[in-house]
């Protein structure tokens, strides 16, 4: 295979793909919806196909790429004027946390688990779910978060009914995740399942299985979200 031919084809395809992505708009660079992602992947695959086999005529790659760009431009124009189609192609935001409560059904609908939620909250520089008023999962997969204006202050009660504080330093610890007690985290704060059950009963939960998520921070603030 002629090295010069490979070089020239590579340079040409680079500028063609660059031009096509510019034609598709800055929205492609800023975020990728599911539709945008499919188009981008297909363009990349066709570009590789043309570069791998120098015997293939360039038009066999340029025509499909140009077709994809035209499809994207037409659909972008149509969805600009029709919200129903826009939701069909791009999806719509989903409220994961509403008024401080986690929406388990919405998470299940999008196959979005608690670990995903904790990760994206940390990326938003929020360490405690108790500090969140609203969290919205955007069509791009990004989590938009609105913090509570006034953060809750709370002290826990020990096994003897005495008020106290949790003596440990670090991030908020999950004590229950999807109905399952995290015993290793209970050990870190020097508490038992009996103590945890008392705390749940104070908040109106009779059993661990009723709780979707429960966490506690180093100041003793406990966040509880029950299954619905």
């Amino acid at each position: 295979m002629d090295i010069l031919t490979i070089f020239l084809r590579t340079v040409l395809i680079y500028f063609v793909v660059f031009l096509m992505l510019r034609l598709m708009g800055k929205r492609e660079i800023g975020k990728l919806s599911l539709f945008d992602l499919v188009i981008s992947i297909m363009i990349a695959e066709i570009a590789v196909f043309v570069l791998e086999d120098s015997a293939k005529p360039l038009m066999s790659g340029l025509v499909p790429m140009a077709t994809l760009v035209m499809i994207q431009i037409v659909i972008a124009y149509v969805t600009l004027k029709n919200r129903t189609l826009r939701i069909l192609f791009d999806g719509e935001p989903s409220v994961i946390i509403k008024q401080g409560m986690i929406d388990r059904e919405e998470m299940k609908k999008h196959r979005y688990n608690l670990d995903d939620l904790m990760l994206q909250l940390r990326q938003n520089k929020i360490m405690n779910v108790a500090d969140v008023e609203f969290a919205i999962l955007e069509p791009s997969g990004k989590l938009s978060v609105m913090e509570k204006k006034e953060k809750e202050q709370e002290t826990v009660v020990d096994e003897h009914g005495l008020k106290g504080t949790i003596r440990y330093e670090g991030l908020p610890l999950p004590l229950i995740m999807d109905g399952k007690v995290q015993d290793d985290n209970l050990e870190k704060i020097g508490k038992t399942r009996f103590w945890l059950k008392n705390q749940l009963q104070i908040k109106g939960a009779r059993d661990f299985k009723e709780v979707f998520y429960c966490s506690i921070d180093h100041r003793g603030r406990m966040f509880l979200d029950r299954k619905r």
Side-chain angles (χ1 to χ4, degrees), residues 14-218:
Y14 168 79
F15 283 106
V16 168
V17 173
F18 178 80
L19 176 62
M20 288 183 174
L21 290 178
R22 287 300 300 269
L23 288 173
M24 289 165 66
K26 291 184 178 180
R27 180 167 171 267
E28 295 298 310
I29 301 171
K31 73 175 186 67
L32 290 177
S33 66
L34 181 60
F35 175 69
D36 299 330
L37 182 62
V38 171
I39 293 290
S40 299
I41 290 175
M42 289 184 69
I43 289 176
E45 288 293 329
I46 293 171
V48 171
F49 167 75
V50 173
L51 291 175
E52 280 185 340
D53 189 355
S54 61
K56 294 284 184 181
L58 282 173
M59 292 305 294
S60 63
L62 297 180
V63 171
M65 284 193 288
T67 302
L68 289 173
V69 172
M70 289 301 299
I71 291 173
Q72 197 278 340
I73 291 174
V74 169
I75 291 179
Y77 180 78
V78 173
T79 55
L80 189 66
K81 299 179 177 295
N82 190 310
R83 187 172 184 274
T84 302
L85 287 176
R86 187 161 62 248
I87 292 174
L88 177 64
F89 282 101
D90 291 342
E92 58 182 339
S94 302
V95 180
I96 301 298
I97 299 178
K98 184 177 182 180
Q99 296 180 336
M101 303 303 293
I102 300 173
D103 191 329
R104 187 188 180 202
E105 291 302 317
E106 197 67 22
M107 290 178 66
K108 187 176 180 181
K109 176 181 174 182
H110 295 280
R111 295 176 293 282
Y112 190 79
N113 59 49
L114 282 169
D115 290 322
D116 295 329
L117 178 60
M118 297 301 108
L119 170 64
Q120 292 201 295
L121 286 178
R122 290 193 295 271
Q123 290 176 340
N124 280 277
K125 299 181 180 180
I126 295 176
M127 302 303 166
N128 197 344
V129 183
D131 296 334
V132 179
E133 183 69 20
F134 287 94
I136 301 172
L137 186 63
E138 306 292 354
S140 63
K142 180 181 178 181
L143 190 70
S144 300
V145 182
M146 179 185 296
E147 293 186 75
K148 291 180 179 178
K149 293 182 179 179
E150 296 183 2
K151 298 180 180 179
E152 300 175 358
Q153 298 293 330
E154 180 179 332
T155 55
V156 298
V157 180
D158 63 19
E159 291 91 338
H160 306 291
L162 300 175
K163 291 184 178 181
T165 58
I166 298 298
R167 299 183 180 279
Y168 88 98
E169 293 294 332
L171 298 176
L173 294 175
L175 300 181
I176 301 176
M177 295 184 72
D178 204 10
K180 296 180 181 178
V181 178
Q182 308 298 303
D183 292 298
D184 54 340
N185 288 338
L186 275 175
E187 290 180 9
K188 289 180 181 178
I189 62 174
K191 299 297 180 181
T192 64
R193 284 194 174 209
F194 178 74
W195 170 86
L196 180 58
K197 194 164 188 178
N198 284 340
Q199 298 299 314
L200 297 183
Q201 289 175 346
I202 291 173
K203 292 179 175 293
R206 293 173 296 178
D207 191 72
F208 298 136
K209 293 182 180 179
E210 293 181 11
V211 180
F212 179 55
Y213 181 76
C214 176
S215 68
I216 195 165
D217 65 14
H218 67 284

